[in-house]
Amino acid sequence: MGNFDLSAPKSAQTAGGGGGGGDHSIVDPIKGKLPERSKQPITPPQVPILDNPKLSVPSAIAVQADLKLPDNPTMPNIGVLNSPNVTLGSNGQGTGSGMGTGSGGGLGSGTGNGWGPGTGGNAGGGLFRIGGGVSAPVPIVSPEAEFSDEARRAKYQGVCLVSLIVDAQGNPQNPRVIRALGMGLDEKALEAVRKYKFKPAMKDGKTPVPVMITIEVNFRLY
């Protein structure tokens, strides 16, 4: 009874996501330019601890190369462009390495090793979206939704549209009805979707990432 709307748009669509970081500093993160971009960053953006390390690995964030981000490459330091702090070397009030007010080894207020508000790396806000190097999740387990007694007696049928997040482990999260049917079928649709299992969406074919998808739960009597 489930039809999956998992077609991927053209790669010109931004993939969504974001990042952030910090080291619980009291001072705002230092103002500066963006670090390099890398699909798999090794060193998060940060204020240098050693001026001349024996093995230097440039800091980077996981943002696709064709995204245009606000930047000022002439600035001498790696940092957050919109910060008022221009003098003190600080990674910001966030956590988990990186710079900013978020967490996860990135740059900005989000969560992940990307840039800006959002989740999971890359940039653009919100979750990753299918396309732009992000594959669609693949359903592995998709049990049929049961009819409610009320709908069966009334011989009532139709399609319920459910939006949900498929997390990086392939589990459904936060399902919600975005096109309702009524007669108890919406609750039955959510009950079924919560039991689904997916092969998660993959970024660049390597890294599982959370994405939002929509599913059509089809109620047909015959």
Side-chain angles (χ1 to χ4, degrees), residues 159-184:
V159 176
C160 178
L161 202 60
V162 177
S163 169
L164 68 147
I165 295 167
V166 178
D167 66 20
Q169 288 73 46
N171 299 312
Q173 303 287 350
N174 302 325
R176 60 188 182 91
V177 174
I178 58 176
R179 189 170 74 205
L181 273 179
M183 286 202 175

Side-chain angles (χ1 to χ4, degrees), residues 36-42 60-65 113-114 120-122 128 132-133 203-207:
E36 294 181 8
R37 304 184 193 193
S38 171
K39 290 183 178 180
Q40 293 180 303
I42 297 173
I61 50 176
V63 176
Q64 63 191 65
N113 60 354
N122 215 31
F128 275 100
K203 181 176 182 290
D204 299 321
K206 298 176 181 178
T207 307

Side-chain angles (χ1 to χ4, degrees), residues 42-110:
I42 297 173
T43 305
Q46 59 189 350
V47 174
I49 299 173
L50 298 173
D51 289 333
N52 295 296
K54 290 184 178 180
L55 181 61
S56 177
V57 178
S59 62
I61 50 176
V63 176
Q64 63 191 65
D66 58 350
L67 283 182
K68 185 174 177 59
L69 302 177
D71 192 16
N72 184 354
T74 63
M75 298 193 77
N77 303 310
I78 298 292
V80 179
L81 186 66
N82 60 355
S83 175
N85 171 25
V86 295
T87 55
L88 294 175
S90 172
N91 291 320
Q93 301 96 330
T95 184
S97 76
M99 303 182 78
T101 55
S103 64
L107 191 70
S109 58

